Amino acid sequence: LRKVCNHPYLFAEPRDTAESAEDGHHTTEELVTHCGKLQLLDRMLRSLHADGHKVLIFSQMTRLLDILEDFMVMRDYSYCRIDGGTDIEARGQAMDSFNEDPSVFCFLLST
């Protein structure tokens, strides 16, 4: 139930992969329209981005971070990501990039 409530693609991804980009990101608008939470996040992030804010997004599920990463690519938001598979050096680089680079808008983190 938790998977479906966060995003339906956690339960079952779309069968048509023709819309996926060469880098594997699912970049159609259906990514947003199929999920009420992502529709709300989309509206919030547009406003925050327009006002020059930076955003941290935490998730317990790294698969949800994968979906959010697809969303970031689709919306052309600059982002960093840290999850359990990120080594110490890359973690430091990601934190420095987010803190020091004004163009990096969002930080995706697993809890």
Side-chain angles (χ1 to χ4, degrees), residues 20-27 70 73:
S20 294
E22 288 180 17
D23 59 5
H25 293 286
H26 183 80
T27 56
D70 291 346
V73 169

Side-chain angles (χ1 to χ4, degrees), residues 6-93:
N6 279 316
H7 197 288
Y9 290 3
L10 291 170
F11 184 69
E13 291 189 37
R15 295 190 186 272
D16 182 14
T17 58
E19 297 295 330
S20 294
E22 288 180 17
D23 59 5
H25 293 286
H26 183 80
T27 56
T28 67
E29 198 60 34
E30 289 177 347
L31 185 71
V32 177
T33 60
H34 287 171
C35 178
K37 283 185 179 182
L38 200 51
Q39 290 173 22
L40 178 60
L41 182 64
D42 188 28
R43 289 192 301 269
M44 290 172 61
L45 290 179
R46 286 178 198 261
S47 176
L48 291 168
H49 189 260
D51 291 341
H53 293 280
K54 288 187 171 239
V55 177
L56 299 172
I57 299 176
F58 294 90
S59 174
Q60 291 180 325
M61 297 181 204
T62 57
R63 181 65 189 107
L64 183 58
L65 291 183
D66 295 340
I67 291 170
L68 290 172
E69 195 169 9
D70 291 346
F71 171 77
M72 294 291 155
V73 169
M74 184 176 74
R75 291 292 187 251
D76 200 30
Y77 292 140
S78 180
Y79 67 95
C80 296
R81 175 182 171 157
I82 291 179
D83 60 37
T86 308
D87 63 48
I88 297 295
E89 185 176 324
R91 287 172 189 255
Q93 290 172 350

